[in-house]
Every structure is written in C-alpha cells, then in structure tokens.
Amino acid sequence: MNGGDVLLQMEHVTKVYGRGERRFTAVKDINMTIRDGEFVALLGPSGCGKSTLLRMITGLIPTSEGSVYYRGQPVKGINPYATMVFQTFALYPWLSVLDNVALALEARGDMSAGRYIQAEKLVDLVGLDGFENAYPRELSGGMRQKVGFARALAVEPELLCLDEPFSALDVLSAEALRGELMELWTGKQLPTKAILMVSHNIEEAISMADRVIVMGKEPGHIVTEFTISLPHPRTRKDPAFEALIDRIYGAIAGRTEAEVKEVGSAPGAPGLTRVLPRSSVNALAGLLEHINPFKTPYDIYKLEGELAVEMADLVQTIEMAEMLGFATVSSGDIQITPLGQAFAEASILTRKELFAQRARRLPIIQWMIQMLNAAPNQELPWKVFYTALLPEFPDEMSERQLDIAINWGRYAELIDYDDRDELLTLDLSGGKAAVSAN
Ligand code: ADP
Ligand code: MG
C-alpha cells in the first residue's frame, strides 16, 4: 500500500490561532505523508488539532509555519484535490436529495444537463436510489450523511477528508455507514485515491484504516503511528484486532510517560512544569471504585464503555490516578495500587486525607502553598499565580491549569479560593490532615 505516489505532504506544520495575548498553538511541527491508495486515520482526543489539520489540508485556513504540499505543489488557498465531509452535513432543506448533490457539481462550474445524470449515479452509489426526490427532513441521520458523502464525491476529490463523519449518528446507523463506505473503498468504486479520516474512536480507526496516526494535545502533535494490515472486513473479535486496540491505547495513555519525566519542577524551577490532567476527584473516585474489585491489570479499553465516558476524558482521569499514585498504567492496562485501594474503600474524610497527602507532593501545589505561606496573611490574588504560570503554558492552558490546581487544593483542604475577590488563601482549617500526613 505504501508504494503509491505521494499525494499529500505536511512539513513542519504549526498552526497558531489568535494573536498577541490570545495566541494559542493548536498543532506544532506536524510531519505527515499520504500516498495514493491509502486510508489513513487521525486518532486523538478532542482538542488535539485534528480538524485544524484537515482545514489546512483542504486549504480552508493557512498554516502559521511550515508547508502543505499536494503532489509536490504548495497548497495556497482552497486545495482543489481535496474535499471534506463534516460530522453533520449542512444540506439545503428546500432542495431534494438529487438537487443537493447536483448543486455540488454546479458549484464547480458544471451547468450541463449531464450533471443530473452524474448526480443520480452518486445517489445510487451511496445507496440512496429511490430517495432522489426526498427532502432532507424525510431522511434519517444516516441517510442525510450519505447525501453528504455523495456531495463530497461529486467533485471527484483525489483526497477525501472525513471529519468524524459517523460521530453524530446513532450506533447502528454509524456501523452500517462505515460498512458501506468500506465496501465502496475496498471495491474501488470511489472516484477517490486516498481517504484521511479524523476519529476519536480507536475501534473505528482500526476497523477502517491502513494506517493510524495517533495524536496528543497541548499543543497538538503526532505521538506515533501504526500500520494496520489486517484483511477486510475486520472484526473486533479477532485477537489481532484486540492486540492492536491495546497497543494503540498504550500509545495514547503512554503520553503520560513523557510527562512523568517532567515532574519535579514548578514555575521558576528548571524544566517544564508538569501539566495537571483535566479531571475531577469525582471522576477519580468513580474510576478507582470501578477497578478496585479487580486486583489484576484491567483492560483500559473496556473502561470506556463500562464507565460510559469518552476516551479523552478517561485518559485524563487515568493520568490523574497515576500522577497521584493511585494506579499504574502499562500497555493498555491499568492496575490499582494499595493506596488506590485504600482510597476506593475509605470514608469521605479519609479520602480527603489520602488525596491531600498525595496532592501536596505535586510541584505545582507545593509551589502554591509556598507562595501563600510567604505572603502577608497567607493570601494572594489569583492573578499572581496566573501571571507566574504564563511563561510555562499557553495562556488558555495557564488558566485551566490554575483552575485544576485550585479544585484539587480545595478538595484536599490545602488551599481556599474566594471567587468574589479572586483571592487565594492557605486553608488553615482542614490543612491539618495534610500537614500531619506526608
Ligand atoms: P479537534 O478537531 O482535535 O478536536 P481542533 O482542531 O478543532 O481539535 O482544535 C484544536 C485546538 O485549537 C482546540 O484547543 C481549539 O479550542 C482551538 N481552536 C480551534 N479553532 C480555533 C479558532 N478558530 N480560534 C482559536 N482557537 C481555535
Ligand atoms: Mg474536530
């Protein structure tokens, strides 16, 4: 599969949104190649810049640094070789299915009578024959999305870009549409040379793609990639499929490993300040209670369904558990530690103590406590912390990091925060538990 001509190439692509104080780096130093014949999936948590990459590839937005090449030519403005199918396709409600598709042909300048014959072919191709004259409101979500595909295919794009095309559909429609798309693709019935699909669903990516590129966030970057050579149609029950799920999960959760090495610093200290995962004590408690009965490593992949949470959120909670020493993670499995078991089984008060004991070890919390200790009346404006964190993180993240630290600190009764005067204080009441521990 990898022998095809290079269609798309991204070289050191960075995208920064906003300007001045509001600058935000969405993706950083992305290198990627897509060849003729490939179906590539971009997999990653929400916010890691997947849609941003598609927008630069289709030419909807420019890069900030680096270049996108299509067949060796730099992409400037709209890329005529690529089209995009969005999560929910905006169909014109006053036009029939056929007219909606024909309109895409008109948009590229085809005003011939033949455009209706072509539109009809596309409607058939996606399995909507008989619905040519139906209006969007008469169609199910899955059928509407098929019209979306037909419209995207109308311009015969060499590169078809799909941005989470199944995620707005119910489970069964999504499964059916995936199957139909794969039939068309593997049967070489599409006028398309390559597909790039964005997904945040591991199973979806493995079941469809030849190659899965795993992305991480803050800022968005490529973590690693996997080649999937299983024959189609693929089934989840295949042990090789299961093994891939574990490996890819490992790569996603493994993102924590790099960050673990950054522990030991705080603002002002050398090295990077460790990023606190975006999760809550409630989510942490839920996770630990769930895995507590299992004393052996537990398949992380199963947790997504069992806890009914999104993978992106789950990864954050798992990272929180790992960071606090309540669990360990390796190759797609999570294992609760004795401390985690104690937490899962403890009363509310003991939980607070255990949490406080661990949270005090986190450099950023330590740093906040030290700052407050040194301040008159042990209080400081929120702004002081925010400003001190700015050199460490992009500003949006600096605020979020501080929010998380305050939430954790409050729960642990180490730090107090008054929203009205935006003042942080050392919690001298409940802090006892934490002071006696450690
Ligand atoms: P994904 O598709 O992986 O969920 P996006 O590419 O949509 O991620 O967004 C990546 C990051 O860039 C997010 O943090 C998002 O808030 C931010 N972002 C996206 N579009 C804009 C924009 N137009 N202006 C500022 N920030 C943006
Ligand atoms: Mg997106």
Side-chain angles (χ1 to χ4, degrees):
M1 270 292 180
N2 272 352
D5 291 348
V6 172
L7 297 181
L8 179 96
Q9 196 146 20
M10 297 190 105
E11 281 183 4
H12 304 293
V13 168
T14 292
K15 181 68 192 179
V16 178
Y17 287 114
R19 53 185 68 203
E21 289 259 296
R22 319 203 57 184
R23 279 168 69 87
F24 177 78
T25 305
V27 292
K28 199 170 168 183
D29 198 23
I30 303 286
N31 294 292
M32 187 163 90
T33 303
I34 295 175
R35 291 171 181 274
D36 190 340
E38 279 193 305
F39 188 137
V40 178
L42 275 179
L43 180 73
S46 106
C48 73
K50 303 181 296 295
S51 298
T52 298
L53 288 186
L54 288 196
R55 279 181 222 128
M56 291 189 287
I57 290 166
T58 50
L60 294 173
I61 56 171
T63 64
S64 303
E65 281 170 51
S67 308
V68 180
Y69 297 94
Y70 196 86
R71 287 193 181 275
Q73 299 298 314
V75 172
K76 293 207 177 80
I78 296 296
N79 179 349
Y81 299 100
T83 50
M84 182 115 92
V85 175
F86 298 94
Q87 195 177 97
T88 49
F89 217 90
L91 301 177
Y92 296 102
W94 61 89
L95 294 181
S96 69
V97 165
L98 196 63
D99 287 333
N100 260 290
V101 178
L103 194 70
L105 293 162
E106 289 166 24
R108 70 157 193 189
D110 181 355
M111 299 304 282
S112 72
R115 73 184 188 275
Y116 274 94
I117 297 170
Q118 177 62 10
E120 187 132 19
K121 262 198 220 155
L122 289 161
V123 170
D124 279 1
L125 182 71
V126 297
L128 284 178
D129 31 331
F131 289 91
E132 289 85 353
N133 298 317
Y135 286 88
R137 64 168 183 279
E138 302 171 61
L139 304 178
S140 68
M143 290 161 92
R144 265 182 245 155
Q145 194 64 333
K146 286 182 180 182
V147 182
F149 274 103
R151 252 173 52 171
L153 294 173
V155 300
E156 308 204 342
E158 282 195 353
L159 177 63
L160 182 63
C161 297
L162 310 175
D163 195 350
E164 310 205 14
F166 311 108
S167 60
L169 303 176
D170 64 87
V171 179
L172 289 180
S173 317
E175 200 46 43
L177 197 50
R178 279 186 204 110
E180 286 166 40
L181 176 65
M182 285 320 288
E183 250 183 73
L184 294 175
W185 171 247
T186 55
K188 307 209 183 312
Q189 295 175 58
L190 296 180
T192 284
K193 294 194 188 312
I195 297 180
L196 176 60
M197 179 182 75
V198 157
S199 173
H200 63 251
N201 178 333
I202 294 185
E203 206 174 316
E204 174 178 288
I206 300 177
S207 70
M208 301 176 81
D210 305 312
R211 196 147 61 86
V212 175
I213 298 178
V214 178
M215 292 182 68
K217 60 203 276 188
E218 287 166 356
H221 62 283
I222 292 175
V223 176
T224 182
E225 65 169 64
F226 295 86
T227 302
I228 319 283
S229 47
L230 304 173
H232 290 283
R234 297 171 181 165
T235 130
R236 166 90 171 85
K237 291 183 199 82
D238 181 350
F241 195 113
E242 296 254 1
L244 269 166
I245 290 179
D246 278 356
R247 281 182 60 205
I248 296 182
Y249 228 118
I252 292 170
R255 192 172 54 86
T256 59
E257 281 165 27
E259 281 167 10
V260 169
K261 296 191 190 89
E262 294 162 10
V263 186
S265 64
L272 290 164
T273 297
R274 178 159 187 191
V275 180
L276 296 180
R278 212 172 319 144
S279 192
S280 65
V281 175
N282 274 340
L284 174 76
L287 169 72
L288 293 175
E289 282 165 16
H290 187 81
I291 60 171
N292 186 33
F294 310 96
K295 310 297 177 199
T296 49
Y298 196 78
D299 194 344
I300 291 174
Y301 183 73
K302 287 196 233 151
L303 289 171
E304 194 180 354
E306 289 170 1
L307 295 171
V309 288
E310 262 205 47
M311 177 186 82
D313 297 329
L314 179 61
V315 167
Q316 298 280 317
T317 308
I318 288 172
E319 202 178 326
M320 180 176 180
E322 202 188 10
M323 183 182 250
L324 292 165
F326 292 149
T328 54
V329 173
S330 77
S331 57
D333 288 329
I334 180 168
Q335 173 140 36
I336 195 164
T337 60
L339 192 70
Q341 288 175 6
F343 182 92
E345 290 160 15
S347 67
I348 292 172
L349 269 179
T350 313
R351 275 188 181 184
K352 260 187 202 292
E353 277 180 40
L354 286 171
F355 187 88
Q357 205 184 106
R358 303 301 297 186
R360 286 184 101 236
R361 301 181 182 208
L362 299 175
I364 190 166
I365 304 263
Q366 269 176 16
W367 166 74
M368 287 168 78
I369 293 174
Q370 278 163 17
M371 295 260 287
L372 290 170
N373 252 323
N377 302 328
Q378 279 78 55
E379 62 179 34
L380 281 172
W382 179 90
K383 201 86 200 202
V384 168
F385 292 93
Y386 174 70
T387 315
L389 281 173
L390 275 182
E392 314 283 324
F393 304 112
D395 40 348
E396 198 183 282
M397 211 176 138
S398 178
E399 185 167 343
R400 253 192 276 130
Q401 283 294 303
L402 194 52
D403 279 350
I404 298 166
I406 290 172
N407 274 328
W408 294 14
R410 265 180 159 173
Y411 172 79
E413 299 186 6
L414 296 166
I415 292 163
D416 235 339
Y417 177 61
D418 189 332
D419 214 10
R420 282 158 309 173
D421 47 15
E422 300 196 332
L423 214 55
L424 273 86
T425 46
L426 209 53
D427 187 336
L428 299 168
S429 60
K432 295 181 296 294
V435 173
S436 61
N438 199 15

